Amino acid sequence: MSDDESTGPFKDKLIRTKGSWARQRRLLTGRPDLGHVNRLPPGQKEVKNWPVLDLGAQPDVKPDNWHLRVTGAVENPLVWRLREFLALPQQDFISDIHCVTQWSRFDNHWRGVAAKTIIDLVRPKSEASHVLFRSYDGYTTNVKVAVFAEANVLLAHSWEGKPIPREHGGPVRVVIPDWYFWKSAKWVNRIYFAEMDQPGFWEVRGYHNEGDPWKEERYG
Ligand SMILES: Nc1nc2c(c(=O)[nH]1)N[C@H]1C(S)=C(S)[C@@H](COP(=O)(O)O)O[C@H]1N2
Ligand SMILES: [Mo]
């Protein structure tokens, strides 16, 4: 299941550079903003564009081929094709993006299925403690079930009223706005409710296991 070691089609230089940022503990200010006094978390800069960040594979997942499997420690495992996913209850969200490489982008308008809706449908067992995401490019990342269950978390298919473009993770990506953006898996293909934590692609390469921007949880 895990091919975290595979860097075949990936941007090896970017992966090495981000690894060295973690070792240098780049961008840390030592001044966390636990009260969210500022709109920008410490060390961040606002951008008006929307940068693209990924490992370089950018899978071309045709809408007809996309599917999402939700499995693991759940009472009711499910698989959705895109048409079925779009028939689930849909909600609009507005949230800020905070990327660990320093940029933040305010007021993104998303549309998609709330994580809460998915949780209600699959019914995680009490043993489920973590959610492990896996994407079409082989990317993985992990959060606690309680983080995934936050009211502002969604599986998004639209941004600013249009389908999310391929480079930003379309047809469907995860959006977890309270955490650094590496937790928000693009091209999501599987959501696994696990009884044990399993660090993902960046988490095993020096990045924090949680990733709260207000606490500057950039590196592990
Ligand atoms: N599948 C996948 N999801 C991913 C990544 C990736 O390489 N592959 N990169 C992560 C990182 S490090 C960031 S900052 C955001 C970037 O999303 P964006 O390109 O839409 O800005 O996606 C996250 N999700
Ligand atoms: Mo990132």
Side-chain angles (χ1 to χ4, degrees), residues 13-207:
K13 185 158 169 271
L14 173 133
I15 294 166
R16 280 198 302 278
T17 303
K18 284 182 80 174
S20 78
W21 289 0
R23 288 189 296 279
Q24 295 160 20
R25 311 192 71 73
R26 199 175 166 269
L27 303 176
L28 293 180
T29 70
R31 291 187 302 277
D33 180 1
L34 303 185
H36 296 213
V37 172
N38 300 300
R39 175 112 189 234
L40 265 182
Q44 294 294 110
K45 290 194 173 132
E46 189 192 350
V47 298
K48 295 286 185 190
N49 61 332
W50 186 9
V52 173
L53 274 102
D54 51 60
L55 305 172
Q58 296 195 350
D60 188 8
V61 190
K62 299 276 185 268
D64 280 351
N65 294 334
W66 181 85
H67 66 268
L68 173 65
R69 186 180 302 277
V70 189
T71 180
V74 295
E75 301 292 349
N76 185 34
L78 284 167
V79 186
W80 291 295
R81 301 220 152 259
L82 192 58
R83 201 182 316 118
E84 299 157 336
F85 183 78
L86 296 175
L88 298 173
Q90 303 290 315
Q91 280 173 243
D92 293 299
F93 295 79
I94 303 176
S95 57
D96 297 349
I97 296 172
H98 306 298
C99 172
V100 74
T101 62
Q102 199 170 30
W103 57 272
S104 292
R105 192 182 188 288
F106 295 154
D107 291 327
N108 298 276
H109 294 70
W110 308 102
R111 186 166 175 80
V113 177
K116 278 220 182 284
T117 301
I118 290 167
I119 288 172
D120 289 346
L121 289 169
V122 300
R123 300 195 306 276
K125 295 180 181 170
S126 56
E127 307 89 89
S129 60
H130 288 79
V131 180
L132 312 177
F133 301 101
R134 182 170 183 80
S135 299
Y136 279 95
D137 58 346
Y139 186 79
T140 53
T141 189
N142 56 305
V143 295
K144 289 181 179 153
V145 170
V147 170
F148 185 62
E150 289 288 340
N152 59 2
V153 174
L154 81 150
L155 271 65
H157 56 74
S158 295
W159 177 80
E160 304 301 330
K162 290 194 268 299
I164 294 179
R166 170 181 170 185
E167 66 271 22
H168 287 296
V172 178
R173 75 172 298 159
V174 180
V175 178
I176 303 181
D178 292 346
W179 256 213
Y180 285 117
F181 211 34
W182 87 77
K183 294 290 186 182
S184 295
K186 312 205 278 192
W187 311 291
V188 66
N189 175 223
R190 196 187 66 182
I191 297 179
Y192 187 84
F193 284 82
E195 296 175 31
M196 267 171 45
D197 196 8
Q198 188 178 316
F201 187 90
W202 288 118
E203 291 83 3
V204 301
R205 286 172 175 78
Y207 285 78

